[in-house]
């Protein structure tokens, strides 16, 4: 075991909040930070790789893993399951590696309950129109799925009060810098 325990950082944002780009900037700049790879039952989008973007698994596999306690948290988002594999997170904490969880609001609540010292950041889009434009511009979802994501986004935005920090994603690089400042400031606090 390392002298210092690894810390958990939670980042949530409604779909279309632009967190992918923000997290990309953070991971490029903070080599000491690990990014947790989630498991999901949703189908891979173009360019997404198994074991890199997500572990893409079936509903049966997901349910079995959930049943066996393999997830730190898991949630159903729209019609698919998403979960954080527990053992890599336990290893990071044990060996003193800080880890970033990019998860939606229900999962974030579960992690906050288990690790009240975790630092949480909610990324908000500058306004709803920007969010809708980002979702539409991505062209990865059918109209039905897109509507469901927009509806979910509206409810998710209400959850921001449960987070330690709210960061506006007006510009991905600027938002990433603000989050890195939060991460680095918290080093002396936990
Ligand atoms: P997407 O399908 O756009 O990749 O992700 C949909 C939502 O699921 C996003 O809000 C994303 O942050 C969230 N998500 C990704 N991985 C996990 C996870 O392991 N657990 C939970 N609870 N949410 C996740």
């Amino acid at each position: 075991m390392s002298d210092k325990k690894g810390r958990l950082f939670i980042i949530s944002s409604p779909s279309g909040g632009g967190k992918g780009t923000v997290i990309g900037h953070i991971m490029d700049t903070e080599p000491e930070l690990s990014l947790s790879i989630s498991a999901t039952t949703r189908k891979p989008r173009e360019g997404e790789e198994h074991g890199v973007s997500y572990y893409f698994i079936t509903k049966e596999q997901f349910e079995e893993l959930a049943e066996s306690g393999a997830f730190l948290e898991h949630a159903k988002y729209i019609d698919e399951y998403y979960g954080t594999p527990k053992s890599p997170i336990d290893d990071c904490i044990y060996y003193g590696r800080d880890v970033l969880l990019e998860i939606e609001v229900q999962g974030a609540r579960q992690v906050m309950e288990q690790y009240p010292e975790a630092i949480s950041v909610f990324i908000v889009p500058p306004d709803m129109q920007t969010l809708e434009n980002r979702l539409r511009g991505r062209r990865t979802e059918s109209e039905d799925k897109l509507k469901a994501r927009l509806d979910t986004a509206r409810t998710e935005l209400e959850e921001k009060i449960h987070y330690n920090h709210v960061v506006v994603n007006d510009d991905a690089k600027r938002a990433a810098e603000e989050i890195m400042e939060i991460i680095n400031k918290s080093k002396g606090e936990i």
Side-chain angles (χ1 to χ4, degrees):
M1 174 158 168
S2 149
D3 294 352
K4 137 187 174 305
K5 277 185 168 180
R7 301 167 306 160
L8 291 185
F9 295 96
I10 304 169
I11 296 194
S12 300
S13 159
S15 192
K19 64 183 169 298
T21 324
V22 175
I23 289 172
H25 281 303
I26 298 175
M27 297 315 294
D28 287 346
T29 328
E30 299 277 334
E32 285 179 10
L33 198 60
S34 296
L35 181 63
S36 161
I37 302 172
S38 301
T40 183
T41 58
R42 95 149 156 70
K43 298 279 163 288
R45 295 186 187 125
E46 211 179 299
E48 285 185 331
E49 264 181 68
H50 179 77
V52 180
S53 316
Y54 280 107
Y55 297 106
F56 295 100
I57 60 176
T58 64
K59 280 212 159 104
E60 291 70 30
Q61 287 170 321
F62 196 100
E63 278 160 6
E64 229 168 78
L65 286 167
E67 187 72 19
S68 71
F71 293 122
L72 171 67
E73 61 69 39
H74 60 95
K76 194 172 188 191
Y77 174 86
I78 319 262
D79 287 330
E80 305 291 350
Y81 293 116
Y82 294 81
T84 304
K86 187 171 173 358
S87 74
I89 305 297
D90 289 343
D91 286 352
C92 282
I93 294 176
Y94 186 84
Y95 290 109
R97 246 189 111 78
D98 294 340
V99 52
L100 199 126
L101 308 177
E102 191 257 275
I103 58 179
E104 55 68 74
V105 296
Q106 307 165 67
R109 288 275 209 131
Q110 296 169 38
V111 179
M112 289 172 196
E113 270 163 32
Q114 295 175 67
Y115 294 95
E117 70 282 15
I119 308 258
S120 54
V121 178
F122 195 89
I123 303 178
V124 290
D127 50 65
M128 279 309 281
Q129 192 55 51
T130 309
L131 183 137
E132 183 166 348
N133 293 347
R134 279 192 190 132
L135 270 178
R136 287 196 183 280
R138 204 158 75 179
R139 292 176 202 282
T140 49
E141 262 81 33
S142 63
E143 188 62 27
D144 273 6
K145 284 257 154 77
L146 204 129
K147 284 223 167 74
R149 280 182 178 245
L150 274 171
D151 282 346
T152 307
R154 284 190 192 95
T155 8
E156 281 181 321
L157 279 168
E158 290 165 15
E159 288 287 314
K160 65 176 187 245
I161 51 165
H162 302 293
Y163 287 70
N164 300 126
H165 305 270
V166 175
V167 170
V168 180
N169 184 11
D170 43 2
D171 172 84
K173 197 149 177 263
R174 194 212 59 77
E177 275 160 12
E178 190 178 335
I179 297 173
M180 286 187 285
E181 213 177 293
I182 292 169
I183 292 177
N184 291 318
K185 252 196 190 157
S186 72
K187 276 190 180 146
E189 291 168 14
I190 307 177

